[in-house]
Amino acid sequence: MFQGRSFLKEIDFTKKELNYLIGLTGHLKQLKKQNIPHEYLKGKNIALLFEKTSTRTRAAFTVAANDLGAHPEFLGKDDIQLGHKESTEDTAKILGSMFDGIEFRGFKQAVAEDLAKYSGVPVWNGLTDRWHPTQMIADFYTILEHFGKLEGLTLAYIGDGRNNVANSLLVTAAILGVNVRIVAPKKLQPTEEIQEIATVYAINSNVEIIVTDDIEAGVLGADVLYTDVWVSMGEEIDFKARIDDLLPYQINAELFAKTGKSETIILHCLPAFHDTKTKTGAQIAELYGLTELEITDEAFRSTSSLVFTQGENRMHSIKAIMAATLGNLYIPNVE
Ligand code: CP
């Protein structure tokens, strides 16, 4: 049922299948913690295609492939011909004849779709401008791990509501039965198309979707506060204007208090601009006088913040995705 399938976007899988991947994430995390071998991909070769930089996704695919007994091969944008001297179709056919699975991180969703179409092997979307599906398995596993349930919870994403993470959270939460709010200025709210996809699933799951620029209403009662960077990779925009638009949406103590709950958790897919200890962070401080952007250092380091557990869970969840779609393991009927 999972064998040979690609994971290009969240709607590629049913609610039960997504829940299976989330459950398998927990199982594989336990095997890893208890040093129990799980080489379900023994002898397989995995291509890791990265057009954009990455820490978590690259590290997670590499370690997960090694733990599963596979050999991962990193193919960066300057290492291969894709997009420069060779079409996606031709590259896909060659890689598919040599590798058993392909991870792709890049700009266009169409490239991920074409790699799957022409390679004949499972392709896993490690982030495109439209979706970030592997991130979702880690995120919802992290929520499940903390609360012991998903259904009935409320997740409020606050910040740039049109990026890949916001798109993916909106649709995945709707599929999984989690109430979801995108709290963003009107010009940074999800497209009608993305909202329509999510709405169909929300009706089926009987959950509420709210897209609003009203911060108080958006975060009140939220079990999960989630944010992401204000400028995504490859976006060329007026940075000052984006900061001015989003500064009221920063996760800080005041905004956290507006949830009305002390047990609310904070998630961020990372990397985060929470201090000036990076080149970009230092430049922002110098240019705009801000030492923190989408989340304050205090909120980032608070006991409510599970961002590093969430980051670790990228590895266990990517392992679950690869094992289910390519591994030699028994999977019960999941529909
Ligand atoms: N969250 C995430 O995709 O992190 P990286 O960009 O480091 O892979």
Side-chain angles (χ1 to χ4, degrees), residues 71-135:
H71 173 78
E73 185 66 30
F74 178 79
L75 302 169
K77 71 175 171 52
D78 298 323
D79 302 327
I80 57 173
Q81 318 285 16
L82 175 63
H84 309 289
K85 289 163 71 178
E86 194 163 47
S87 68
T88 307
E89 178 179 346
D90 295 356
T91 302
K93 285 175 178 167
I94 292 299
L95 294 182
S97 72
M98 298 181 188
F99 289 92
D100 301 289
I102 299 169
E103 179 276 352
F104 173 74
R105 164 171 288 207
F107 294 90
K108 294 187 181 139
Q109 180 71 19
V111 174
E113 305 273 349
D114 279 348
L115 284 170
K117 183 175 170 186
Y118 294 112
S119 68
V121 299
V123 172
W124 307 293
N125 177 355
L127 177 147
T128 63
D129 288 353
R130 192 165 166 82
W131 305 112
H132 200 356
T134 66
Q135 179 76 49

Short mmCIF file of all heavy atoms in Angstrom, two decimals, residues 71-135:
data_model
loop_
_atom_site.label_atom_id
_atom_site.label_comp_id
_atom_site.label_asym_id
_atom_site.label_seq_id
_atom_site.Cartn_x
_atom_site.Cartn_y
_atom_site.Cartn_z
N HIS A 71 22.42 3.71 1.63
CA HIS A 71 23.54 4.63 1.38
C HIS A 71 22.99 5.94 0.81
O HIS A 71 22.45 5.95 -0.30
CB HIS A 71 24.52 4.03 0.38
CG HIS A 71 25.58 5.02 -0.02
ND1 HIS A 71 26.65 5.33 0.78
CD2 HIS A 71 25.70 5.80 -1.12
CE1 HIS A 71 27.38 6.25 0.18
NE2 HIS A 71 26.83 6.55 -0.98
N PRO A 72 23.10 7.06 1.55
CA PRO A 72 22.65 8.34 1.01
C PRO A 72 23.76 9.03 0.23
O PRO A 72 24.92 9.01 0.65
CB PRO A 72 22.32 9.14 2.27
CG PRO A 72 23.23 8.58 3.32
CD PRO A 72 23.57 7.17 2.95
N GLU A 73 23.42 9.65 -0.89
CA GLU A 73 24.41 10.38 -1.70
C GLU A 73 23.91 11.81 -1.90
O GLU A 73 22.87 12.02 -2.54
CB GLU A 73 24.61 9.68 -3.05
CG GLU A 73 25.69 10.29 -3.91
CD GLU A 73 27.09 10.13 -3.32
OE1 GLU A 73 27.34 9.14 -2.61
OE2 GLU A 73 27.92 11.04 -3.55
N PHE A 74 24.64 12.78 -1.37
CA PHE A 74 24.25 14.19 -1.50
C PHE A 74 24.61 14.71 -2.89
O PHE A 74 25.75 14.60 -3.33
CB PHE A 74 24.95 15.03 -0.43
CG PHE A 74 24.63 16.50 -0.53
CD1 PHE A 74 23.43 16.99 -0.03
CD2 PHE A 74 25.52 17.39 -1.12
CE1 PHE A 74 23.12 18.35 -0.12
CE2 PHE A 74 25.22 18.75 -1.21
CZ PHE A 74 24.02 19.22 -0.71
N LEU A 75 23.64 15.29 -3.58
CA LEU A 75 23.85 15.87 -4.91
C LEU A 75 23.36 17.32 -4.86
O LEU A 75 22.18 17.60 -5.06
CB LEU A 75 23.08 15.07 -5.97
CG LEU A 75 23.43 13.56 -6.07
CD1 LEU A 75 22.43 12.83 -6.95
CD2 LEU A 75 24.84 13.38 -6.59
N GLY A 76 24.28 18.24 -4.58
CA GLY A 76 23.93 19.65 -4.46
C GLY A 76 23.70 20.28 -5.83
O GLY A 76 24.03 19.70 -6.86
N LYS A 77 23.18 21.50 -5.81
CA LYS A 77 22.79 22.14 -7.07
C LYS A 77 23.98 22.38 -8.00
O LYS A 77 23.81 22.42 -9.22
CB LYS A 77 22.03 23.44 -6.81
CG LYS A 77 22.86 24.59 -6.26
CD LYS A 77 22.02 25.84 -6.18
CE LYS A 77 22.69 26.97 -5.44
NZ LYS A 77 24.04 27.34 -5.87
N ASP A 78 25.17 22.54 -7.44
CA ASP A 78 26.35 22.76 -8.29
C ASP A 78 27.08 21.47 -8.63
O ASP A 78 28.11 21.49 -9.31
CB ASP A 78 27.31 23.74 -7.59
CG ASP A 78 26.67 25.09 -7.37
OD1 ASP A 78 25.90 25.53 -8.26
OD2 ASP A 78 26.90 25.70 -6.31
N ASP A 79 26.57 20.35 -8.13
CA ASP A 79 27.23 19.06 -8.36
C ASP A 79 26.69 18.33 -9.58
O ASP A 79 27.35 17.45 -10.13
CB ASP A 79 27.05 18.12 -7.15
CG ASP A 79 27.59 18.72 -5.87
OD1 ASP A 79 28.58 19.47 -5.96
OD2 ASP A 79 27.02 18.45 -4.80
N ILE A 80 25.43 18.62 -9.94
CA ILE A 80 24.79 17.84 -11.01
C ILE A 80 24.26 18.76 -12.11
O ILE A 80 24.22 19.98 -11.94
CB ILE A 80 23.65 16.94 -10.45
CG1 ILE A 80 22.59 17.77 -9.72
CG2 ILE A 80 24.22 15.85 -9.54
CD1 ILE A 80 21.37 16.97 -9.31
N GLN A 81 23.81 18.16 -13.20
CA GLN A 81 23.42 18.93 -14.39
C GLN A 81 21.98 19.45 -14.32
O GLN A 81 21.59 20.27 -15.15
CB GLN A 81 23.53 18.02 -15.64
CG GLN A 81 24.74 17.13 -15.69
CD GLN A 81 26.01 17.90 -16.04
OE1 GLN A 81 26.06 19.12 -15.97
NE2 GLN A 81 27.05 17.17 -16.41
N LEU A 82 21.19 18.95 -13.36
CA LEU A 82 19.76 19.28 -13.30
C LEU A 82 19.53 20.79 -13.36
O LEU A 82 20.05 21.55 -12.56
CB LEU A 82 19.16 18.73 -11.99
CG LEU A 82 17.70 19.07 -11.70
CD1 LEU A 82 16.76 18.50 -12.76
CD2 LEU A 82 17.29 18.57 -10.31
N GLY A 83 18.72 21.17 -14.33
CA GLY A 83 18.34 22.58 -14.46
C GLY A 83 19.34 23.42 -15.23
O GLY A 83 18.98 24.46 -15.78
N HIS A 84 20.62 22.98 -15.27
CA HIS A 84 21.64 23.74 -16.00
C HIS A 84 21.79 23.18 -17.42
O HIS A 84 21.58 23.86 -18.40
CB HIS A 84 23.00 23.67 -15.30
CG HIS A 84 22.96 24.00 -13.85
ND1 HIS A 84 22.76 25.27 -13.39
CD2 HIS A 84 23.11 23.22 -12.75
CE1 HIS A 84 22.77 25.26 -12.06
NE2 HIS A 84 22.98 24.03 -11.66
N LYS A 85 22.14 21.88 -17.47
CA LYS A 85 22.42 21.27 -18.77
C LYS A 85 21.53 20.07 -19.05
O LYS A 85 21.67 19.42 -20.08
CB LYS A 85 23.90 20.82 -18.80
CG LYS A 85 24.87 21.99 -18.88
CD LYS A 85 26.28 21.58 -18.50
CE LYS A 85 26.94 20.71 -19.54
NZ LYS A 85 28.34 20.37 -19.14
N GLU A 86 20.64 19.75 -18.11
CA GLU A 86 19.80 18.56 -18.30
C GLU A 86 18.40 18.79 -17.75
O GLU A 86 18.24 19.41 -16.69
CB GLU A 86 20.45 17.35 -17.62
CG GLU A 86 19.84 16.03 -18.04
CD GLU A 86 20.75 14.85 -17.68
OE1 GLU A 86 21.23 14.82 -16.53
OE2 GLU A 86 20.96 13.99 -18.54
N SER A 87 17.41 18.31 -18.48
CA SER A 87 16.02 18.50 -18.06
C SER A 87 15.72 17.64 -16.83
O SER A 87 16.43 16.67 -16.53
CB SER A 87 15.07 18.10 -19.18
OG SER A 87 15.15 16.70 -19.39
N THR A 88 14.62 17.97 -16.17
CA THR A 88 14.19 17.16 -15.02
C THR A 88 13.87 15.74 -15.48
O THR A 88 14.23 14.77 -14.80
CB THR A 88 12.95 17.80 -14.36
OG1 THR A 88 13.24 19.16 -14.07
CG2 THR A 88 12.56 17.07 -13.09
N GLU A 89 13.21 15.62 -16.64
CA GLU A 89 12.83 14.29 -17.14
C GLU A 89 14.06 13.41 -17.35
O GLU A 89 14.10 12.26 -16.88
CB GLU A 89 12.06 14.44 -18.45
CG GLU A 89 11.68 13.09 -19.05
CD GLU A 89 10.89 13.22 -20.35
OE1 GLU A 89 10.40 14.31 -20.66
OE2 GLU A 89 10.78 12.19 -21.06
N ASP A 90 15.08 13.97 -18.01
CA ASP A 90 16.28 13.16 -18.29
C ASP A 90 17.03 12.81 -17.01
O ASP A 90 17.49 11.68 -16.82
CB ASP A 90 17.21 13.92 -19.26
CG ASP A 90 16.58 14.11 -20.63
OD1 ASP A 90 15.46 13.61 -20.83
OD2 ASP A 90 17.20 14.79 -21.47
N THR A 91 17.13 13.79 -16.12
CA THR A 91 17.80 13.55 -14.84
C THR A 91 17.06 12.49 -14.04
O THR A 91 17.66 11.57 -13.47
CB THR A 91 17.87 14.86 -14.01
OG1 THR A 91 18.56 15.84 -14.78
CG2 THR A 91 18.58 14.65 -12.69
N ALA A 92 15.73 12.60 -14.03
CA ALA A 92 14.91 11.64 -13.28
C ALA A 92 15.11 10.23 -13.80
O ALA A 92 15.23 9.27 -13.01
CB ALA A 92 13.44 12.04 -13.37
N LYS A 93 15.15 10.08 -15.11
CA LYS A 93 15.29 8.73 -15.69
C LYS A 93 16.65 8.12 -15.31
O LYS A 93 16.74 6.93 -15.01
CB LYS A 93 15.14 8.80 -17.21
CG LYS A 93 13.69 8.99 -17.65
CD LYS A 93 13.57 9.16 -19.15
CE LYS A 93 12.10 9.29 -19.55
NZ LYS A 93 11.94 9.75 -20.93
N ILE A 94 17.68 8.94 -15.33
CA ILE A 94 19.01 8.43 -14.96
C ILE A 94 19.07 8.10 -13.47
O ILE A 94 19.49 7.00 -13.08
CB ILE A 94 20.10 9.47 -15.33
CG1 ILE A 94 20.23 9.61 -16.85
CG2 ILE A 94 21.45 9.10 -14.70
CD1 ILE A 94 20.63 8.33 -17.59
N LEU A 95 18.63 9.04 -12.63
CA LEU A 95 18.70 8.79 -11.18
C LEU A 95 17.84 7.59 -10.80
O LEU A 95 18.22 6.78 -9.96
CB LEU A 95 18.26 10.03 -10.40
CG LEU A 95 19.18 11.26 -10.52
CD1 LEU A 95 18.64 12.41 -9.66
CD2 LEU A 95 20.62 10.93 -10.11
N GLY A 96 16.68 7.48 -11.45
CA GLY A 96 15.78 6.35 -11.14
C GLY A 96 16.36 5.01 -11.56
O GLY A 96 15.99 3.97 -11.00
N SER A 97 17.27 5.03 -12.51
CA SER A 97 17.89 3.77 -12.95
C SER A 97 19.02 3.34 -12.02
O SER A 97 19.51 2.22 -12.09
CB SER A 97 18.42 3.91 -14.39
OG SER A 97 19.56 4.74 -14.42
N MET A 98 19.47 4.27 -11.17
CA MET A 98 20.60 3.98 -10.28
C MET A 98 20.22 3.98 -8.81
O MET A 98 20.76 3.20 -8.03
CB MET A 98 21.71 5.02 -10.49
CG MET A 98 22.27 5.03 -11.90
SD MET A 98 23.58 6.26 -12.04
CE MET A 98 23.87 6.21 -13.81
N PHE A 99 19.32 4.87 -8.45
CA PHE A 99 18.94 5.01 -7.03
C PHE A 99 17.58 4.36 -6.78
O PHE A 99 16.75 4.25 -7.68
CB PHE A 99 18.89 6.49 -6.64
CG PHE A 99 20.26 7.14 -6.56
CD1 PHE A 99 20.81 7.79 -7.65
CD2 PHE A 99 20.98 7.08 -5.38
CE1 PHE A 99 22.06 8.38 -7.58
CE2 PHE A 99 22.25 7.66 -5.29
CZ PHE A 99 22.79 8.31 -6.40
N ASP A 100 17.36 4.00 -5.53
CA ASP A 100 16.08 3.37 -5.13
C ASP A 100 15.07 4.40 -4.63
O ASP A 100 13.88 4.10 -4.53
CB ASP A 100 16.34 2.35 -4.03
CG ASP A 100 17.32 1.28 -4.51
OD1 ASP A 100 16.92 0.47 -5.34
OD2 ASP A 100 18.48 1.29 -4.05
N GLY A 101 15.55 5.59 -4.28
CA GLY A 101 14.66 6.65 -3.81
C GLY A 101 15.36 7.98 -3.96
O GLY A 101 16.60 8.04 -3.99
N ILE A 102 14.56 9.05 -4.10
CA ILE A 102 15.14 10.39 -4.33
C ILE A 102 14.47 11.39 -3.40
O ILE A 102 13.24 11.48 -3.35
CB ILE A 102 14.89 10.85 -5.79
CG1 ILE A 102 15.55 9.89 -6.79
CG2 ILE A 102 15.38 12.28 -6.00
CD1 ILE A 102 15.13 10.13 -8.24
N GLU A 103 15.31 12.15 -2.68
CA GLU A 103 14.80 13.30 -1.94
C GLU A 103 15.07 14.54 -2.77
O GLU A 103 16.14 14.66 -3.38
CB GLU A 103 15.53 13.43 -0.59
CG GLU A 103 15.08 14.63 0.24
CD GLU A 103 15.75 15.95 -0.10
OE1 GLU A 103 16.71 15.97 -0.90
OE2 GLU A 103 15.32 16.98 0.44
N PHE A 104 14.10 15.46 -2.83
CA PHE A 104 14.31 16.70 -3.57
C PHE A 104 13.94 17.90 -2.72
O PHE A 104 12.82 17.99 -2.20
CB PHE A 104 13.46 16.73 -4.85
CG PHE A 104 13.51 18.06 -5.56
CD1 PHE A 104 14.64 18.44 -6.27
CD2 PHE A 104 12.43 18.94 -5.49
CE1 PHE A 104 14.70 19.68 -6.91
CE2 PHE A 104 12.48 20.18 -6.13
CZ PHE A 104 13.61 20.55 -6.84
N ARG A 105 14.87 18.84 -2.56
CA ARG A 105 14.57 20.16 -1.98
C ARG A 105 14.87 21.20 -3.04
O ARG A 105 15.99 21.26 -3.56
CB ARG A 105 15.40 20.45 -0.73
CG ARG A 105 15.36 21.94 -0.38
CD ARG A 105 15.97 22.29 0.94
NE ARG A 105 15.12 21.85 2.03
CZ ARG A 105 15.10 22.42 3.23
NH1 ARG A 105 15.85 23.47 3.50
NH2 ARG A 105 14.33 21.95 4.18
N GLY A 106 13.86 22.00 -3.36
CA GLY A 106 14.11 23.02 -4.38
C GLY A 106 13.00 24.04 -4.42
O GLY A 106 12.19 24.14 -3.50
N PHE A 107 13.00 24.79 -5.49
CA PHE A 107 12.04 25.90 -5.61
C PHE A 107 10.68 25.41 -6.09
O PHE A 107 9.66 25.66 -5.46
CB PHE A 107 12.61 26.97 -6.56
CG PHE A 107 13.84 27.62 -6.00
CD1 PHE A 107 15.11 27.12 -6.27
CD2 PHE A 107 13.73 28.73 -5.17
CE1 PHE A 107 16.24 27.71 -5.73
CE2 PHE A 107 14.87 29.33 -4.63
CZ PHE A 107 16.12 28.82 -4.91
N LYS A 108 10.68 24.70 -7.22
CA LYS A 108 9.40 24.42 -7.88
C LYS A 108 8.82 23.06 -7.52
O LYS A 108 9.48 22.03 -7.67
CB LYS A 108 9.60 24.50 -9.40
CG LYS A 108 9.94 25.90 -9.88
CD LYS A 108 9.95 25.93 -11.40
CE LYS A 108 10.32 27.33 -11.87
NZ LYS A 108 11.23 27.30 -13.01
N GLN A 109 7.55 23.08 -7.15
CA GLN A 109 6.83 21.83 -6.87
C GLN A 109 6.80 20.96 -8.13
O GLN A 109 6.88 19.73 -8.05
CB GLN A 109 5.40 22.17 -6.41
CG GLN A 109 4.53 20.98 -6.10
CD GLN A 109 4.92 20.24 -4.82
OE1 GLN A 109 5.62 20.78 -3.97
NE2 GLN A 109 4.48 19.00 -4.69
N ALA A 110 6.73 21.61 -9.29
CA ALA A 110 6.66 20.85 -10.56
C ALA A 110 7.88 19.97 -10.76
O ALA A 110 7.79 18.88 -11.36
CB ALA A 110 6.50 21.81 -11.73
N VAL A 111 9.03 20.41 -10.26
CA VAL A 111 10.25 19.59 -10.41
C VAL A 111 10.13 18.33 -9.57
O VAL A 111 10.44 17.22 -10.03
CB VAL A 111 11.52 20.41 -10.02
CG1 VAL A 111 12.76 19.52 -10.04
CG2 VAL A 111 11.70 21.59 -10.96
N ALA A 112 9.62 18.47 -8.34
CA ALA A 112 9.41 17.29 -7.49
C ALA A 112 8.42 16.34 -8.15
O ALA A 112 8.64 15.12 -8.19
CB ALA A 112 8.89 17.73 -6.12
N GLU A 113 7.35 16.89 -8.71
CA GLU A 113 6.32 16.06 -9.36
C GLU A 113 6.92 15.35 -10.58
O GLU A 113 6.65 14.16 -10.81
CB GLU A 113 5.14 16.94 -9.81
CG GLU A 113 4.50 17.78 -8.70
CD GLU A 113 3.41 17.07 -7.91
OE1 GLU A 113 2.98 15.99 -8.33
OE2 GLU A 113 3.01 17.62 -6.86
N ASP A 114 7.74 16.07 -11.36
CA ASP A 114 8.34 15.45 -12.56
C ASP A 114 9.38 14.39 -12.19
O ASP A 114 9.51 13.37 -12.88
CB ASP A 114 8.98 16.52 -13.46
CG ASP A 114 7.93 17.22 -14.32
OD1 ASP A 114 6.79 16.73 -14.38
OD2 ASP A 114 8.26 18.27 -14.90
N LEU A 115 10.12 14.63 -11.12
CA LEU A 115 11.08 13.60 -10.68
C LEU A 115 10.34 12.30 -10.36
O LEU A 115 10.78 11.21 -10.73
CB LEU A 115 11.86 14.08 -9.45
CG LEU A 115 12.96 15.11 -9.68
CD1 LEU A 115 13.46 15.67 -8.35
CD2 LEU A 115 14.13 14.52 -10.48
N ALA A 116 9.20 12.44 -9.71
CA ALA A 116 8.40 11.24 -9.37
C ALA A 116 7.83 10.60 -10.63
O ALA A 116 7.82 9.37 -10.78
CB ALA A 116 7.28 11.63 -8.41
N LYS A 117 7.37 11.44 -11.54
CA LYS A 117 6.73 10.95 -12.77
C LYS A 117 7.71 10.16 -13.63
O LYS A 117 7.36 9.12 -14.20
CB LYS A 117 6.18 12.16 -13.54
CG LYS A 117 5.43 11.83 -14.81
CD LYS A 117 4.85 13.12 -15.38
CE LYS A 117 4.29 12.90 -16.76
NZ LYS A 117 3.87 14.18 -17.37
N TYR A 118 8.93 10.64 -13.73
CA TYR A 118 9.87 10.04 -14.70
C TYR A 118 10.90 9.10 -14.09
O TYR A 118 11.55 8.36 -14.82
CB TYR A 118 10.60 11.15 -15.47
CG TYR A 118 9.67 11.96 -16.34
CD1 TYR A 118 9.40 13.30 -16.05
CD2 TYR A 118 9.05 11.39 -17.46
CE1 TYR A 118 8.55 14.05 -16.85
CE2 TYR A 118 8.18 12.14 -18.26
CZ TYR A 118 7.94 13.46 -17.95
OH TYR A 118 7.08 14.20 -18.74
N SER A 119 11.08 9.14 -12.77
CA SER A 119 12.17 8.31 -12.20
C SER A 119 11.73 6.87 -11.95
O SER A 119 12.55 5.95 -11.97
CB SER A 119 12.67 8.92 -10.89
OG SER A 119 11.67 8.83 -9.88
N GLY A 120 10.44 6.70 -11.65
CA GLY A 120 9.94 5.35 -11.34
C GLY A 120 10.30 4.88 -9.94
O GLY A 120 10.10 3.70 -9.61
N VAL A 121 10.84 5.75 -9.11
CA VAL A 121 11.16 5.40 -7.71
C VAL A 121 10.48 6.42 -6.80
O VAL A 121 10.10 7.51 -7.25
CB VAL A 121 12.69 5.38 -7.45
CG1 VAL A 121 13.38 4.34 -8.32
CG2 VAL A 121 13.31 6.76 -7.64
N PRO A 122 10.31 6.09 -5.51
CA PRO A 122 9.70 7.07 -4.59
C PRO A 122 10.51 8.37 -4.53
O PRO A 122 11.75 8.33 -4.45
CB PRO A 122 9.72 6.36 -3.23
CG PRO A 122 9.79 4.91 -3.55
CD PRO A 122 10.62 4.82 -4.81
N VAL A 123 9.79 9.49 -4.58
CA VAL A 123 10.42 10.81 -4.42
C VAL A 123 9.81 11.46 -3.19
O VAL A 123 8.59 11.45 -3.02
CB VAL A 123 10.20 11.69 -5.67
CG1 VAL A 123 10.70 13.11 -5.43
CG2 VAL A 123 10.92 11.08 -6.88
N TRP A 124 10.65 11.98 -2.34
CA TRP A 124 10.20 12.64 -1.11
C TRP A 124 10.53 14.13 -1.20
O TRP A 124 11.69 14.50 -1.42
CB TRP A 124 10.92 12.01 0.10
CG TRP A 124 10.78 10.51 0.12
CD1 TRP A 124 9.63 9.79 0.32
CD2 TRP A 124 11.83 9.55 -0.08
NE1 TRP A 124 9.90 8.44 0.26
CE2 TRP A 124 11.24 8.27 0.02
CE3 TRP A 124 13.20 9.63 -0.33
CZ2 TRP A 124 11.98 7.09 -0.12
CZ3 TRP A 124 13.94 8.47 -0.48
CH2 TRP A 124 13.32 7.21 -0.37
N ASN A 125 9.49 14.93 -1.02
CA ASN A 125 9.65 16.39 -1.12
C ASN A 125 10.26 16.93 0.17
O ASN A 125 9.60 16.97 1.21
CB ASN A 125 8.26 17.00 -1.38
CG ASN A 125 8.29 18.52 -1.42
OD1 ASN A 125 9.32 19.14 -1.17
ND2 ASN A 125 7.15 19.11 -1.73
N GLY A 126 11.50 17.36 0.07
CA GLY A 126 12.20 17.92 1.24
C GLY A 126 11.99 19.41 1.38
O GLY A 126 12.72 20.06 2.14
N LEU A 127 11.03 19.98 0.71
CA LEU A 127 10.59 21.39 0.72
C LEU A 127 10.63 21.94 -0.71
O LEU A 127 11.64 21.82 -1.41
CB LEU A 127 11.48 22.27 1.62
CG LEU A 127 11.21 23.77 1.69
CD1 LEU A 127 11.52 24.33 3.08
CD2 LEU A 127 12.03 24.53 0.66
N THR A 128 9.50 22.49 -1.09
CA THR A 128 9.43 23.33 -2.30
C THR A 128 8.77 24.63 -1.88
O THR A 128 8.37 24.79 -0.72
CB THR A 128 8.59 22.68 -3.42
OG1 THR A 128 7.24 22.54 -2.96
CG2 THR A 128 9.16 21.33 -3.84
N ASP A 129 8.62 25.55 -2.83
CA ASP A 129 7.99 26.83 -2.48
C ASP A 129 6.53 26.65 -2.07
O ASP A 129 5.95 27.54 -1.46
CB ASP A 129 8.07 27.80 -3.67
CG ASP A 129 9.48 28.30 -3.87
OD1 ASP A 129 10.36 28.00 -3.03
OD2 ASP A 129 9.73 28.97 -4.88
N ARG A 130 5.95 25.51 -2.39
CA ARG A 130 4.51 25.30 -2.13
C ARG A 130 4.21 24.46 -0.89
O ARG A 130 3.31 24.78 -0.14
CB ARG A 130 3.90 24.63 -3.36
CG ARG A 130 2.40 24.60 -3.39
CD ARG A 130 1.93 24.24 -4.79
NE ARG A 130 0.54 23.89 -4.84
CZ ARG A 130 -0.48 24.75 -4.89
NH1 ARG A 130 -0.22 26.03 -4.88
NH2 ARG A 130 -1.72 24.34 -4.94
N TRP A 131 4.97 23.38 -0.68
CA TRP A 131 4.66 22.46 0.42
C TRP A 131 5.94 22.04 1.15
O TRP A 131 7.02 22.04 0.56
CB TRP A 131 3.99 21.17 -0.11
CG TRP A 131 2.76 21.35 -0.93
CD1 TRP A 131 2.63 21.08 -2.28
CD2 TRP A 131 1.45 21.78 -0.51
NE1 TRP A 131 1.35 21.33 -2.69
CE2 TRP A 131 0.61 21.76 -1.63
CE3 TRP A 131 0.94 22.18 0.72
CZ2 TRP A 131 -0.74 22.13 -1.57
CZ3 TRP A 131 -0.41 22.57 0.78
CH2 TRP A 131 -1.22 22.53 -0.35
N HIS A 132 5.76 21.60 2.41
CA HIS A 132 6.88 21.05 3.20
C HIS A 132 6.36 19.80 3.92
O HIS A 132 6.26 19.76 5.16
CB HIS A 132 7.39 22.10 4.17
CG HIS A 132 8.78 21.84 4.69
ND1 HIS A 132 9.51 20.70 4.37
CD2 HIS A 132 9.59 22.58 5.49
CE1 HIS A 132 10.68 20.76 4.97
NE2 HIS A 132 10.77 21.88 5.65
N PRO A 133 6.03 18.74 3.17
CA PRO A 133 5.31 17.60 3.77
C PRO A 133 6.09 16.80 4.80
O PRO A 133 5.50 16.34 5.80
CB PRO A 133 4.94 16.74 2.55
CG PRO A 133 5.87 17.16 1.47
CD PRO A 133 6.20 18.60 1.72
N THR A 134 7.40 16.62 4.61
CA THR A 134 8.14 15.83 5.61
C THR A 134 8.17 16.56 6.95
O THR A 134 8.15 15.94 8.02
CB THR A 134 9.58 15.48 5.16
OG1 THR A 134 10.35 16.69 5.06
CG2 THR A 134 9.60 14.75 3.82
N GLN A 135 8.17 17.91 6.88
CA GLN A 135 8.12 18.71 8.11
C GLN A 135 6.83 18.42 8.89
O GLN A 135 6.82 18.38 10.13
CB GLN A 135 8.19 20.21 7.74
CG GLN A 135 8.12 21.17 8.90
CD GLN A 135 9.41 21.26 9.68
OE1 GLN A 135 10.47 21.43 9.11
NE2 GLN A 135 9.34 21.14 11.00
#
